[in-house]
Amino acid sequence: MSSGKKDGWGSSLGVILAVTGSAVGLGNFLRFPGLAAKYDGAAFLIPYFIALLLVGLPIAWSEWAMGRFGGQRGFNSCPGIFRAIWKSRASPYLGVLGLIVPVVIYMYYLWIESWCLGYALKYLTGSLSLGSEKAAYTDHFSSYVGIAADGAFFDQGLALPVLCLLACVALNFFIIYRGLSGGIEKVCLWGMPLLVLCALFVLIRVLTLGTPDPAHPERNVVAGLAQMWDLRGGVPGLLKSLANAEMWLAAAGQIFFSLSVGFGVIINYASYLKKRDDIALSSTTAVAGNEFCEVSLGGLITIPAAFLFLGAAGAVGGTFGLGFQTLPMVFDRMPAGQLFGFLWFFLLFIAAVTSSLSMLQPAIAFFEEGLGLGRRGSVSLLGFITLMGTGIVVWFTKDLAALDAMDFWVGSFGIFVLATIQTLLYGWVLGPKRGREELERGALLPIPRIFDFVIRYVSPVFLLTVFILWLHQSWASNWQAIQTQPSVRIALVFVLAVIILFVLLIAHAVRTWEARERKTA
Amino acid sequence: MSLWGWLILGMAVGGTTGFLAWCLLRVLGNQDKNHLHATTDLDPRQTDREPTD
């Protein structure tokens, strides 16, 4: 139970945009189109939307319900909320994941956010026109992040990359210090519409390019759209694609990571709602907002734009390859590319800021209610912890080893575990009856009855199946990285140290809560 | 692009855009009825009390 003045949201639209802002990130504009292009375009959408209905939407509803349930009992942090739901000595310690996952992801996500800012500024000053060779853009990205050797990022001195990183650190902590309604909500109320506006400008530019290179008449807008949306090989091709288990895994993973479920953020944000606030429509709207940005904006911009200038071979790639190497080359060839390049990276920067802010709030809430710290103390303590983590990520830059290690073990593995715990807590501890009561109080949208069955049985099974398959697929290479790369070990030892620190802090918080409960009993 | 492609594009993009628009209209239409952030959570003993003269 916390004491003192409670933070809270200022408007229903504010909380919806804050949750949407948390979910919308680089994955919406880069990862989703990249995966769709890789897995036969339109065929990818079938497992994608099935995963949305079976995992994404049900877990989002359950997280909102558990968050408000805990908030009504005076808790805003994951350990406190888990303890309110499950009267077990273990429950607050399971909640450590709800703190670790967002805090550790923030440590490397902040750096990626600074790349977006740096690239946007480079477009503004016209210094990212590197010619028509892809190697020039790859080399530029490599030297920007210092991929060649550990410590190379700082070899640049106080240049743009380092300054952008420092600016992002300052910006995030300035906003988070201003609180929920005065900081996060205000940024999202302005930032999310601005993000959509920037994306619409870029979208209109891409869709009106026609056939930009007369020497390649086959590279036109319709063919670019087909690259992303058409059924390759017709219905027989679709059936063949659907038999690809890897595509189902990728689609489920994309839905899962894109919606920010299992992140510890939604449960924290929802805890600040009031008893009779709607959560059914708000959570559904936040999911719809994320899907709009991913499917309607990301799906229409990225791959068609890359195809128009680089052909089918250029319209593939992972998040960093597509975003920071391929697309800059596309903007270089595009009419008014400097302006649209700026708009693109600026919208990615906004998407990253609204996400990174959300990663700080769960730990801030814990420090406030568990340790009795004020806003300034909480922000300072979290600033110290996260700066050390970010320092490790930006020092061990060789092949982005530290970033990849944290992303795998916390940003993927940790999220799966936390989401599974949350789903089981909702379905089997809080139970469908109490859960539905929470969801339906003040609801402006009916939640289908089948949800109770899906969240209790289907979501955990689906989640565990995807988790095991994913682990089977990626375990070996990541385990090998631990054995062979000292930088990976250092990064993971640091993560372990942060986990131990948070467990000790939770133990202290539990003693405080118990003492307070004895006093009021 | 084949007819299938246009159909899928229309359904996916139209569906997600329409779904968001529908949700937002409901949110904005219910702003006044929404309990969220009205003032505070009212005490049921007060709200449920019969008016007295």
Side-chain angles (χ1 to χ4, degrees), chain A residues 9-13 15-16 42-43 45 49 57 72 222-223 225-227 229-231 234-235 273-278 281-282 284-285 287-292 295-296 300 442 444-446, chain B residues 1-31 33-45 47-48:
Chain A
W9 298 107
S11 69
S12 56
L13 201 58
V15 63
I16 291 167
L45 293 173
F49 281 113
L57 205 48
Q72 288 310 301
V222 173
L225 290 171
Q227 186 69 18
W229 297 99
D230 210 356
L231 275 184
V235 176
L273 291 168
K274 296 189 180 78
K275 191 176 180 180
R276 287 166 216 287
D277 288 345
D278 157 77
L281 180 60
S282 297
T284 309
T285 308
V287 168
N290 181 69
E291 290 312 302
F292 169 74
V295 176
S296 299
L300 286 176
L444 296 171
L445 189 76
Chain B
M1 185 152 68
S2 70
L3 186 63
W4 276 108
W6 286 113
L7 201 66
I8 292 162
L9 190 156
M11 278 167 57
V13 174
T16 50
T17 309
F19 185 40
L20 175 64
W22 180 80
C23 286
L24 280 177
L25 283 175
R26 286 197 72 154
V27 169
L28 296 173
N30 281 293
Q31 284 283 57
K33 294 179 218 163
N34 197 343
H35 296 280
L36 189 62
H37 330 293
T39 44
T40 55
D41 266 343
L42 296 173
D43 186 340
R45 285 170 299 183
T47 52
D48 298 339

Side-chain angles (χ1 to χ4, degrees), chain A residues 256-271:
Chain A
F256 190 67
F257 296 124
S258 174
L259 287 174
S260 281
V261 289
F263 227 71
V265 171
I266 295 177
I267 203 166
N268 167 251
Y269 273 10
S271 71

Side-chain angles (χ1 to χ4, degrees), chain A residues 137-175:
Chain A
Y137 294 91
T138 306
D139 290 347
H140 174 268
F141 177 71
S142 300
S143 67
Y144 189 98
V145 303
I147 219 165
D150 291 336
F153 181 72
F154 292 107
D155 288 349
Q156 307 168 76
L158 215 56
L160 185 76
V162 178
L163 288 174
C164 284
L165 179 61
L166 293 175
C168 288
V169 172
L171 180 71
N172 274 277
F173 280 97
F174 172 73
I175 296 169

Side-chain angles (χ1 to χ4, degrees), chain A residues 9-39:
Chain A
W9 298 107
S11 69
S12 56
L13 201 58
V15 63
I16 291 167
L17 288 179
V19 174
T20 311
S22 166
V24 173
L26 269 65
N28 296 61
F29 296 98
L30 299 173
R31 193 171 184 268
F32 167 75
L35 284 175
K38 182 182 172 187
Y39 292 108

Side-chain angles (χ1 to χ4, degrees), chain A residues 154-446:
Chain A
F154 292 107
D155 288 349
Q156 307 168 76
L158 215 56
L160 185 76
V162 178
L163 288 174
C164 284
L165 179 61
L166 293 175
C168 288
V169 172
L171 180 71
N172 274 277
F173 280 97
F174 172 73
I175 296 169
I176 203 82
Y177 178 69
R178 298 179 66 87
L180 269 189
S181 56
I184 297 173
E185 185 174 344
K186 266 191 187 155
V187 168
C188 292
L189 274 171
W190 285 95
M192 291 311 289
L194 188 62
L195 179 154
V196 172
L197 199 65
C198 288
L200 286 175
F201 276 123
V202 179
L203 175 62
I204 291 167
R205 169 73 284 187
V206 170
L207 294 183
T208 54
L209 279 168
T211 309
D213 185 358
H216 289 284
E218 76 284 2
R219 295 180 189 172
N220 54 62
V221 170
V222 173
L225 290 171
Q227 186 69 18
M228 173 79 196
W229 297 99
D230 210 356
L231 275 184
R232 294 176 207 163
V235 176
L238 169 70
L239 296 175
K240 195 178 162 200
S241 296
L242 288 177
N244 180 3
E246 197 184 294
M247 180 175 80
W248 285 82
L249 182 62
Q254 176 60 24
I255 272 295
F256 190 67
F257 296 124
S258 174
L259 287 174
S260 281
V261 289
F263 227 71
V265 171
I266 295 177
I267 203 166
N268 167 251
Y269 273 10
S271 71
Y272 295 101
L273 291 168
K274 296 189 180 78
K275 191 176 180 180
R276 287 166 216 287
D277 288 345
D278 157 77
I279 52 174
L281 180 60
S282 297
S283 54
T284 309
T285 308
V287 168
N290 181 69
E291 290 312 302
F292 169 74
C293 289
E294 187 151 292
V295 176
S296 299
L297 298 178
L300 286 176
I301 295 173
T302 314
I303 296 301
F307 179 86
L308 279 173
F309 294 96
L310 308 173
V316 287
T319 303
F320 296 159
L322 208 51
F324 296 94
Q325 295 164 44
T326 305
L327 286 178
M329 191 161 54
V330 168
F331 290 123
D332 190 57
R333 297 178 186 193
M334 187 185 281
Q338 191 180 334
L339 169 68
F340 290 101
F342 166 73
L343 287 174
W344 176 255
F345 282 103
F346 185 61
L347 83 86
L348 289 185
F349 173 65
I350 298 172
V353 170
T354 52
S355 299
S356 63
L357 284 174
S358 71
M359 297 169 197
L360 293 172
Q361 183 59 28
I364 296 274
F366 172 70
F367 292 155
E368 287 178 342
E369 74 184 19
L371 308 181
L373 293 178
R375 193 82 186 171
R376 184 176 294 180
S378 305
V379 170
S380 305
L381 179 57
L382 188 60
F384 177 70
I385 295 168
T386 53
L387 267 182
M388 287 205 312
T390 304
I392 287 175
V393 173
V394 297
W395 181 263
F396 295 106
T397 51
K398 187 168 168 34
D399 300 328
L400 302 179
L403 187 155
D404 283 343
M406 285 186 179
D407 187 44
F408 176 81
W409 290 104
V410 180
S412 305
F413 186 86
I415 288 182
F416 264 121
V417 176
L418 180 57
T420 307
I421 291 172
Q422 286 182 167
T423 309
L424 294 174
L425 267 184
Y426 181 92
W428 294 90
V429 180
L430 186 66
K433 190 170 172 284
R434 279 198 300 168
R436 178 165 283 279
E437 265 173 33
E438 196 61 47
L439 267 173
E440 287 183 342
R441 192 176 332 108
L444 296 171
L445 189 76

